[in-house]
Amino acid sequence: MAEVELRGVSKYYKEVAAVSDVSLRIPDREFVALLGPSGCGKTTTLRMLAGFIRPDTGQILIDGKDVTDLPPERRPTAMVFQSYALWPHMTVGENISFGLKLRKVPAAQIAERARAMLDVVRLPGVEHRFPSQLSGGQQQRVALARALVLGPKILLLDEPLSNLDAKLRVRMRDEIRRIQQELQITTVYVTHDQEEALTMADRIAVMNRGVIQQLGDANDIYDRPATSFVADFIGQSNFFRGTLRRANGVTWAHIGDERVAVEPVDGAPDGAHVTVSTRPEVVEVVRAPEPGAFALDDPRLVNFGAYQRLAGRHPTLGPIEARVPKSFRLDARPVYVKLTRARAFAEPEAEMRD
Amino acid sequence: MAAGARALPGVSLTWAIDDPRMRRLILRLFVAGLAVFIGIPLLTLVLWSFAGEWFWPNVIPTQWTIRWYEQVFENPRVVNAMVLSFTIAPVVTVLTALIAIPAGYAFARLNVPFRRVLLLLFLIPNAFPRIGLYVSLAVLYYQINLIDTYWGVVFLHMIGTLVYMTWITTATFRSIDPHLEEAARDAGASPLRAFWSVVFPLALPGIIVASLFSFLASLDEAQGTLIVGTPHFITMPVLMYTLISSFERPVAAVFSVLLSLPSLVLLVAAQRYLRSEYVAAGLGRV
Amino acid sequence: MASTTFAAPPRPRPRRLDRSRLAGLALVAPSLLYLTVFVFIPVVKAITTSFTVRDRDNAGNYSYRVGTDNYRAIFETETLRDNVIFTVLIAVISVAIVFALAYSIALALRFGKGPAVRFLSRIYVIPLFIPSVIASYAMITFLANHGFVDGLLQRVGFPDESFPRIVFDWKGIVITQVWLSLPFMTVLLSSVLLEISDTLVESARDVGASSWQIFRHIVLPLSAPGALIGITFMFLGVVGGFTVPYLLGPNAPQMLGVSMVYYMTNYFEPYVASTQAVVIFLLSLVAAIYYVRQQFKREVR
Ligand SMILES: Nc1ncnc2c1ncn2[C@@H]1O[C@H](COP(=O)(O)OP(=O)(O)OP(=O)(O)O)[C@@H](O)[C@H]1O
Ligand SMILES: [Mg+2]
């Protein structure tokens, strides 16, 4: 059992909240990704978990025990750094053994465990090399081995793949996930790359400006974004500004003289200003007028290799994009789009997507 | 564009001269002149140290000998001065390292309270003209009975070495990735252990260079030692004052050669470390 | 699920004794203690001593009082006043010569190539490693009347006694200071020039700037702040020097360093010596403040 909990944790730098009242419970064996743009407080959150930064408010619990005031060396966490932070004056073997030596593990056992861990990360036989003699991907594996050899309860990773090239990044992504599954270790993974988060994590915490905007699995945050920020940051969305009106059990967003049906919105009164979003892949394209379909001016096609995107303008709604198959062709007939599964967010002006 | 302008910024003294051959000639003359200015005075000393007979105005000695070297090593004053110098310099270096390394680490890494004030205080010793400091210190030494004592000399030497070493170690620690240290803490090392196993070995080259320079600075310090160390604590360079004024020219020359040797050996050994920050960090002997 | 509340106002938990700040202070403390005892207290003492006047009554007993008599003595005694002026002049002349030479060397090292420049880069550092006593002595044997140069000139036919007085004269001090300070200033200026990127110089050349214009409008202004640090630091060094003027200087006027030490050790006059020390501090105050401010800016960032 190893579960982590953040309870109302904040960290301020001068007046600025790097992390603001964050609460998050991660059950045993779960892989959680902290996802967000640069400067949103991911690293600060992770470093508070590791013990490098002391929160200004709130508590951190591991298996129910309050570790808020424990220094990093007394926490059952292990961190993999973005820069790997392998000690350049020690061999790979010494890097991996360092923590074991501190724990006074017998020498024979140390060598055995180091070797076993190098096998787990699929990098056998490099014990006697120095980190500088390894490639970036290999150093990454050593960093992982060094963290895992101590049998931590919680594995923390801060953008571990950002220094690797694109191909290698995909390979290491699968590798890290495999090892996490194999060792069944509770993991917190910081990244600004949504693809990494979506493919690797059980649950994703989307952060912005020090606040967790949404916590959920890949489908939750992609299909049911909780805020316009999430809708914008994850994948792509069409956005409109409008006003909320409810009629006959249907919720509408009025945008100029037009209106779009949106999913039900809790807690926002009629007349509230809302941001409406819908994903290009659920926008339906039709070639004949019908109720609820908007005519697109100057339709253009952009080829994305696997699919095409249709982009155009509606005089009232503004720019709209839709995903269309590669077989789609523009011809003399007009193009209409139907905005399905649109979501409306009633948010204070300052919190609108930025 | 003129050919001259393209060859620019070739040579320094000759920005305004367009003929490349002329420019090269002037550069060579400049370098030759500088070499003579720097080298020949030192060479003259070496010649004197081997001179059996050298009557003015001969350009080189007419007889050669090594008997001055023998004489120097038999002279008890000289030997005492050497012994003293070589017992002071290591003590100065070690004491300096012991207090400067922690301070350098704190400035580089820790959240030191009153950091700005402290930085300012650590710059002040370099901002005072040295001889003024030494005379002020001598006045204090008379009152606390440190005048003409071993420790009085040691503490005086530390004024220059401490500031120098603090700045160099600060720069060295700052150049080490802080994540390396955090990784050690994360692996279970106490702050002290993380320093010892990770930071210290990585900072060692910088610390060694700083220590060597401190050692030399102590070995070469003359003016302050003269003020607070006479008459009983005559180090090599202080003895040199006496030798010069007593006109024992070959002996003084031999002594000069011996006194310069440690530094020159270091010059050869440390040339690639002679980065500007080490020099700019505050050489005590401008 | 969404937490759309706006950032709460800071309400930091009451700061317990912060360990890292305490540790920082503890690590700096020994050095600070040392500096206090061996630098700050002496300086303060020198200042108070300089305002202490010792009177002797007819019975030969001393009495002490506070006063500015020591300062008046310095500025009313002609020799002492000359010493102050002499010190400043020597410092200014030495710094000017070193700066010109060092700047030339640094420019050659930065922008020149070829064997001459490589040779230059080897030799210019040598004086850095020669103790100032030795350098002074070398200059004495080299430049004294009946010294090496004098002899050489005799051999090539100059008349006897035509060699000017250099040693035991202000020229000797200046030449030796130049010899000693050249490497420091050059290293410093080189590092300053290194920070001027090649692209900057090349783009100026592309728009057709002449060598002189590049120097005047790009290299010189960009290197000025760094150069000033070197100038102030060397000024402090020359004003506060003893060895060179003691071994190569004239008997009168003396540089303050020499006269101070005489008052201290030969005449046992700590009052006059301390006063001269304070005068030296004051003379270099502008340089010192500039030096500290620049270094401080660099450190604090
Ligand atoms: N030591 C510090 N001093 C002052 N401000 C800081 C400090 N560390 C972080 N911050 C600020 O706190 C905010 C959050 O920083 P953090 O490093 O956690 O962001 P991040 O999400 O990891 O960003 P990135 O993706 O760029 O790594 C940023 O605005 C940053 O400027
Ligand atoms: Mg980060």
Side-chain angles (χ1 to χ4, degrees), chain B residues 125-131 133-134 156-165 167-168 210 213-214 216-218 220-224 277-286, chain C residues 128 130-132 177 180-181 184 233-234 236-238 240-243 291:
Chain B
N126 268 354
F128 280 123
R130 268 299 142 74
I131 197 72
L133 268 186
Y134 291 158
L156 178 131
H157 285 193
M158 283 171 67
I159 294 178
T161 56
L162 175 67
V163 173
Y164 178 69
M165 209 187 244
W167 292 126
I168 292 194
F213 275 92
S214 295
L216 283 182
S218 167
D220 295 350
E221 208 297 318
Q223 48 193 31
E277 70 243 42
Y278 293 144
V279 180
L283 274 185
R285 33 187 200 153
V286 173
Chain C
L128 197 59
I130 305 295
S132 48
Q177 280 296 355
L180 274 168
S181 307
F184 165 78
F233 195 64
M234 186 186 159
L236 295 169
V238 178
F242 166 77
T243 302
Y291 169 81

Side-chain angles (χ1 to χ4, degrees), chain A residues 53-318:
Chain A
I53 299 177
R54 199 164 162 277
D56 291 325
T57 66
Q59 281 176 305
I60 296 167
L61 298 100
I62 295 177
D63 283 344
K65 201 174 130 253
D66 187 343
V67 298
T68 318
D69 289 329
L70 289 188
E73 64 267 26
R74 295 185 32 213
R75 295 193 187 189
T77 55
M79 177 125 163
V80 176
F81 293 83
Q82 180 175 357
S83 56
Y84 315 141
L86 296 176
W87 301 303
H89 60 300
M90 300 185 194
T91 61
V92 168
E94 286 164 347
N95 263 279
I96 298 176
S97 314
F98 182 73
L100 295 172
K101 276 199 199 114
L102 292 177
R103 286 166 178 69
K104 306 242 161 22
V105 176
Q109 239 188 66
I110 290 182
E112 185 42 50
R113 279 170 69 176
R115 197 165 337 107
M117 198 42 75
L118 280 174
D119 285 342
V120 171
V121 299
R122 307 221 171 123
L123 198 64
V126 298
E127 284 97 325
H128 299 295
R129 292 216 223 148
F130 282 93
S132 56
Q133 298 168 317
L134 300 178
S135 73
Q138 290 173 322
Q139 292 184 24
Q140 177 67 76
R141 287 165 198 262
V142 174
L144 204 55
R146 183 179 68 181
L148 291 170
V149 77
L150 301 170
K153 288 183 170 180
I154 322 282
L155 179 63
L156 308 171
L157 305 104
D158 189 358
E159 311 212 11
L161 306 183
S162 59
N163 289 338
L164 303 179
D165 64 56
K167 268 260 179 327
L168 198 54
R169 209 176 307 166
V170 173
R171 186 133 52 84
M172 281 309 294
R173 198 161 87 186
D174 300 341
E175 197 77 330
I176 290 176
R177 180 64 176 166
R178 171 185 67 77
I179 293 166
Q180 190 263 338
Q181 299 278 298
E182 219 169 282
L183 302 181
Q184 304 257 316
I185 183 169
T186 312
T187 300
V188 184
Y189 186 103
V190 161
T191 180
H192 62 258
D193 179 341
Q194 47 175 308
E195 200 175 299
E196 266 175 29
L198 293 170
T199 53
M200 296 172 83
D202 298 318
R203 283 196 302 162
I204 299 164
V206 184
M207 293 187 73
N208 189 31
R209 295 203 199 140
V211 173
I212 294 185
Q213 299 256 327
Q214 185 172 9
L215 176 67
D217 64 22
N219 289 335
D220 287 335
I221 65 164
Y222 193 88
D223 297 333
R224 291 173 293 281
T227 65
S228 61
F229 169 79
V230 176
D232 189 30
F233 187 72
I234 311 289
Q236 255 158 4
S237 297
N238 296 298
F239 284 102
F240 318 98
R241 290 274 157 88
T243 330
L244 209 60
R245 294 256 183 275
R246 293 184 178 86
N248 316 330
V250 181
T251 312
W252 297 95
H254 286 252
I255 304 158
D257 325 326
E258 309 285 355
R259 62 178 197 177
V260 178
V262 297
E263 319 253 304
V265 184
D266 299 337
D270 273 21
H273 290 284
V274 288
T275 304
V276 179
S277 86
T278 177
R279 301 233 178 249
E281 52 268 41
V282 299
V283 172
E284 222 177 281
V285 179
V286 291
R287 305 308 294 263
E290 58 180 272
F294 300 99
L296 269 197
D297 296 343
D298 327 306
R300 282 167 291 122
L301 278 176
V302 185
N303 196 334
F304 278 78
Y307 60 92
Q308 304 188 91
R309 187 165 287 166
L310 174 72
R313 269 192 85 79
H314 180 268
T316 311
L317 299 180

Side-chain angles (χ1 to χ4, degrees), chain B residues 74-93:
Chain B
E74 282 160 8
N75 183 333
R77 272 160 77 217
V78 172
V79 174
N80 283 342
M82 281 184 187
V83 171
L84 184 65
S85 276
F86 279 96
T87 51
I88 287 177
V91 172
V92 168
T93 308

Side-chain angles (χ1 to χ4, degrees), chain A residues 5-21:
Chain A
E5 189 176 353
L6 295 162
R7 273 192 201 155
V9 168
S10 305
K11 175 70 196 174
Y12 296 94
Y13 288 110
K14 300 257 156 56
E15 300 295 285
V16 184
V19 171
S20 175
D21 196 24

